[in-house]
PDB file of all heavy atoms in Angstrom:
ATOM      1  N   PRO B 101      -2.435   7.726  34.918  1.00 93.00           N
ATOM      2  CA  PRO B 101      -1.221   7.746  35.745  1.00 93.00           C
ATOM      3  C   PRO B 101      -0.144   8.711  35.256  1.00 93.00           C
ATOM      4  O   PRO B 101       0.716   9.112  36.034  1.00 93.00           O
ATOM      5  CB  PRO B 101      -0.719   6.305  35.673  1.00 93.00           C
ATOM      6  CG  PRO B 101      -1.948   5.505  35.430  1.00 93.00           C
ATOM      7  CD  PRO B 101      -2.823   6.352  34.554  1.00 93.00           C
ATOM      8  N   GLU B 102      -0.198   9.091  33.984  1.00 93.00           N
ATOM      9  CA  GLU B 102       0.776  10.070  33.493  1.00 93.00           C
ATOM     10  C   GLU B 102       0.718  11.339  34.345  1.00 93.00           C
ATOM     11  O   GLU B 102       1.734  12.025  34.533  1.00 93.00           O
ATOM     12  CB  GLU B 102       0.496  10.387  32.026  1.00 93.00           C
ATOM     13  CG  GLU B 102       1.430  11.402  31.395  1.00 93.00           C
ATOM     14  CD  GLU B 102       2.898  10.986  31.420  1.00 93.00           C
ATOM     15  OE1 GLU B 102       3.176   9.767  31.492  1.00 93.00           O
ATOM     16  OE2 GLU B 102       3.765  11.885  31.398  1.00 93.00           O
ATOM     17  N   ASN B 103      -0.464  11.638  34.873  1.00 94.00           N
ATOM     18  CA  ASN B 103      -0.609  12.839  35.689  1.00 94.00           C
ATOM     19  C   ASN B 103       0.213  12.778  36.974  1.00 94.00           C
ATOM     20  O   ASN B 103       0.646  13.808  37.492  1.00 94.00           O
ATOM     21  CB  ASN B 103      -2.086  13.072  36.031  1.00 94.00           C
ATOM     22  CG  ASN B 103      -2.895  13.457  34.817  1.00 94.00           C
ATOM     23  OD1 ASN B 103      -2.830  14.578  34.345  1.00 94.00           O
ATOM     24  ND2 ASN B 103      -3.659  12.516  34.279  1.00 94.00           N
ATOM     25  N   PHE B 104       0.436  11.556  37.494  1.00 96.00           N
ATOM     26  CA  PHE B 104       1.251  11.427  38.697  1.00 96.00           C
ATOM     27  C   PHE B 104       2.703  11.798  38.382  1.00 96.00           C
ATOM     28  O   PHE B 104       3.390  12.423  39.182  1.00 96.00           O
ATOM     29  CB  PHE B 104       1.207  10.004  39.259  1.00 96.00           C
ATOM     30  CG  PHE B 104      -0.192   9.450  39.432  1.00 96.00           C
ATOM     31  CD1 PHE B 104      -0.465   8.122  39.141  1.00 96.00           C
ATOM     32  CD2 PHE B 104      -1.235  10.255  39.886  1.00 96.00           C
ATOM     33  CE1 PHE B 104      -1.749   7.600  39.290  1.00 96.00           C
ATOM     34  CE2 PHE B 104      -2.521   9.743  40.037  1.00 96.00           C
ATOM     35  CZ  PHE B 104      -2.780   8.411  39.740  1.00 96.00           C
ATOM     36  N   ARG B 105       3.150  11.414  37.183  1.00 96.00           N
ATOM     37  CA  ARG B 105       4.507  11.750  36.770  1.00 96.00           C
ATOM     38  C   ARG B 105       4.641  13.257  36.581  1.00 96.00           C
ATOM     39  O   ARG B 105       5.643  13.854  36.993  1.00 96.00           O
ATOM     40  CB  ARG B 105       4.862  11.016  35.469  1.00 96.00           C
ATOM     41  CG  ARG B 105       4.993   9.507  35.663  1.00 96.00           C
ATOM     42  CD  ARG B 105       5.336   8.790  34.376  1.00 96.00           C
ATOM     43  NE  ARG B 105       4.210   8.077  33.801  1.00 96.00           N
ATOM     44  CZ  ARG B 105       3.690   6.938  34.279  1.00 96.00           C
ATOM     45  NH1 ARG B 105       4.210   6.371  35.344  1.00 96.00           N
ATOM     46  NH2 ARG B 105       2.660   6.372  33.698  1.00 96.00           N
ATOM     47  N   LEU B 106       3.624  13.868  35.974  1.00 96.00           N
ATOM     48  CA  LEU B 106       3.671  15.318  35.775  1.00 96.00           C
ATOM     49  C   LEU B 106       3.734  16.042  37.119  1.00 96.00           C
ATOM     50  O   LEU B 106       4.523  16.966  37.300  1.00 96.00           O
ATOM     51  CB  LEU B 106       2.421  15.787  35.007  1.00 96.00           C
ATOM     52  CG  LEU B 106       2.325  15.380  33.526  1.00 96.00           C
ATOM     53  CD1 LEU B 106       1.031  15.905  32.918  1.00 96.00           C
ATOM     54  CD2 LEU B 106       3.515  15.876  32.728  1.00 96.00           C
ATOM     55  N   LEU B 107       2.892  15.619  38.073  1.00 98.00           N
ATOM     56  CA  LEU B 107       2.886  16.277  39.375  1.00 98.00           C
ATOM     57  C   LEU B 107       4.221  16.075  40.093  1.00 98.00           C
ATOM     58  O   LEU B 107       4.729  16.991  40.742  1.00 98.00           O
ATOM     59  CB  LEU B 107       1.730  15.763  40.245  1.00 98.00           C
ATOM     60  CG  LEU B 107       1.621  16.433  41.622  1.00 98.00           C
ATOM     61  CD1 LEU B 107       1.435  17.944  41.498  1.00 98.00           C
ATOM     62  CD2 LEU B 107       0.480  15.829  42.427  1.00 98.00           C
ATOM     63  N   GLY B 108       4.781  14.885  39.959  1.00 98.00           N
ATOM     64  CA  GLY B 108       6.081  14.613  40.572  1.00 98.00           C
ATOM     65  C   GLY B 108       7.158  15.569  40.069  1.00 98.00           C
ATOM     66  O   GLY B 108       7.932  16.124  40.853  1.00 98.00           O
ATOM     67  N   ASP B 109       7.191  15.785  38.760  1.00 98.00           N
ATOM     68  CA  ASP B 109       8.190  16.692  38.183  1.00 98.00           C
ATOM     69  C   ASP B 109       7.958  18.127  38.643  1.00 98.00           C
ATOM     70  O   ASP B 109       8.904  18.866  38.900  1.00 98.00           O
ATOM     71  CB  ASP B 109       8.140  16.631  36.649  1.00 98.00           C
ATOM     72  CG  ASP B 109       8.936  15.453  36.080  1.00 98.00           C
ATOM     73  OD1 ASP B 109       9.652  14.786  36.869  1.00 98.00           O
ATOM     74  OD2 ASP B 109       8.846  15.197  34.870  1.00 98.00           O
ATOM     75  N   ILE B 110       6.705  18.523  38.741  1.00 98.00           N
ATOM     76  CA  ILE B 110       6.388  19.868  39.222  1.00 98.00           C
ATOM     77  C   ILE B 110       6.829  20.019  40.677  1.00 98.00           C
ATOM     78  O   ILE B 110       7.419  21.036  41.064  1.00 98.00           O
ATOM     79  CB  ILE B 110       4.882  20.160  39.116  1.00 98.00           C
ATOM     80  CG1 ILE B 110       4.445  20.214  37.655  1.00 98.00           C
ATOM     81  CG2 ILE B 110       4.537  21.441  39.849  1.00 98.00           C
ATOM     82  CD1 ILE B 110       4.487  21.555  37.005  1.00 98.00           C
ATOM     83  N   LEU B 111       6.588  19.000  41.483  1.00 98.00           N
ATOM     84  CA  LEU B 111       6.977  19.049  42.895  1.00 98.00           C
ATOM     85  C   LEU B 111       8.487  19.267  43.018  1.00 98.00           C
ATOM     86  O   LEU B 111       8.952  20.067  43.836  1.00 98.00           O
ATOM     87  CB  LEU B 111       6.567  17.757  43.610  1.00 98.00           C
ATOM     88  CG  LEU B 111       6.988  17.636  45.079  1.00 98.00           C
ATOM     89  CD1 LEU B 111       6.370  18.746  45.932  1.00 98.00           C
ATOM     90  CD2 LEU B 111       6.612  16.270  45.648  1.00 98.00           C
ATOM     91  N   ILE B 112       9.236  18.577  42.178  1.00 98.00           N
ATOM     92  CA  ILE B 112      10.695  18.733  42.178  1.00 98.00           C
ATOM     93  C   ILE B 112      11.078  20.188  41.922  1.00 98.00           C
ATOM     94  O   ILE B 112      11.970  20.739  42.571  1.00 98.00           O
ATOM     95  CB  ILE B 112      11.331  17.835  41.094  1.00 98.00           C
ATOM     96  CG1 ILE B 112      11.049  16.365  41.354  1.00 98.00           C
ATOM     97  CG2 ILE B 112      12.818  18.112  40.951  1.00 98.00           C
ATOM     98  CD1 ILE B 112      11.965  15.670  42.303  1.00 98.00           C
ATOM     99  N   ILE B 113      10.413  20.811  40.974  1.00 98.00           N
ATOM    100  CA  ILE B 113      10.733  22.203  40.642  1.00 98.00           C
ATOM    101  C   ILE B 113      10.371  23.127  41.797  1.00 98.00           C
ATOM    102  O   ILE B 113      11.108  24.060  42.117  1.00 98.00           O
ATOM    103  CB  ILE B 113      10.054  22.609  39.322  1.00 98.00           C
ATOM    104  CG1 ILE B 113      10.747  21.877  38.173  1.00 98.00           C
ATOM    105  CG2 ILE B 113      10.111  24.119  39.104  1.00 98.00           C
ATOM    106  CD1 ILE B 113      10.034  21.963  36.845  1.00 98.00           C
ATOM    107  N   VAL B 114       9.258  22.876  42.452  1.00 98.00           N
ATOM    108  CA  VAL B 114       8.857  23.682  43.612  1.00 98.00           C
ATOM    109  C   VAL B 114       9.894  23.538  44.728  1.00 98.00           C
ATOM    110  O   VAL B 114      10.312  24.522  45.341  1.00 98.00           O
ATOM    111  CB  VAL B 114       7.452  23.272  44.112  1.00 98.00           C
ATOM    112  CG1 VAL B 114       7.132  23.919  45.451  1.00 98.00           C
ATOM    113  CG2 VAL B 114       6.396  23.656  43.088  1.00 98.00           C
ATOM    114  N   LEU B 115      10.340  22.311  44.980  1.00 98.00           N
ATOM    115  CA  LEU B 115      11.361  22.082  46.003  1.00 98.00           C
ATOM    116  C   LEU B 115      12.667  22.774  45.607  1.00 98.00           C
ATOM    117  O   LEU B 115      13.340  23.382  46.440  1.00 98.00           O
ATOM    118  CB  LEU B 115      11.602  20.578  46.196  1.00 98.00           C
ATOM    119  CG  LEU B 115      10.452  19.766  46.798  1.00 98.00           C
ATOM    120  CD1 LEU B 115      10.786  18.275  46.793  1.00 98.00           C
ATOM    121  CD2 LEU B 115      10.146  20.218  48.224  1.00 98.00           C
ATOM    122  N   ALA B 116      13.002  22.675  44.326  1.00 98.00           N
ATOM    123  CA  ALA B 116      14.241  23.293  43.845  1.00 98.00           C
ATOM    124  C   ALA B 116      14.216  24.800  44.068  1.00 98.00           C
ATOM    125  O   ALA B 116      15.205  25.390  44.514  1.00 98.00           O
ATOM    126  CB  ALA B 116      14.439  22.985  42.361  1.00 98.00           C
ATOM    127  N   ALA B 117      13.097  25.424  43.756  1.00 98.00           N
ATOM    128  CA  ALA B 117      12.981  26.878  43.925  1.00 98.00           C
ATOM    129  C   ALA B 117      13.067  27.250  45.396  1.00 98.00           C
ATOM    130  O   ALA B 117      13.645  28.269  45.759  1.00 98.00           O
ATOM    131  CB  ALA B 117      11.667  27.381  43.335  1.00 98.00           C
ATOM    132  N   HIS B 118      12.534  26.408  46.245  1.00 97.00           N
ATOM    133  CA  HIS B 118      12.520  26.693  47.679  1.00 97.00           C
ATOM    134  C   HIS B 118      13.890  26.500  48.315  1.00 97.00           C
ATOM    135  O   HIS B 118      14.347  27.318  49.109  1.00 97.00           O
ATOM    136  CB  HIS B 118      11.494  25.805  48.358  1.00 97.00           C
ATOM    137  CG  HIS B 118      11.283  26.155  49.795  1.00 97.00           C
ATOM    138  ND1 HIS B 118      10.535  27.229  50.200  1.00 97.00           N
ATOM    139  CD2 HIS B 118      11.766  25.597  50.913  1.00 97.00           C
ATOM    140  CE1 HIS B 118      10.555  27.307  51.507  1.00 97.00           C
ATOM    141  NE2 HIS B 118      11.295  26.321  51.971  1.00 97.00           N
TER     142      HIS B 118
END
Side-chain angles (χ1 to χ4, degrees):
Chain B
E102 179 60 24
N103 291 284
F104 310 141
R105 291 180 255 287
L106 290 179
L107 182 59
D109 277 352
I110 294 269
L111 177 61
I112 298 276
I113 290 169
V114 170
L115 293 174
H118 188 77

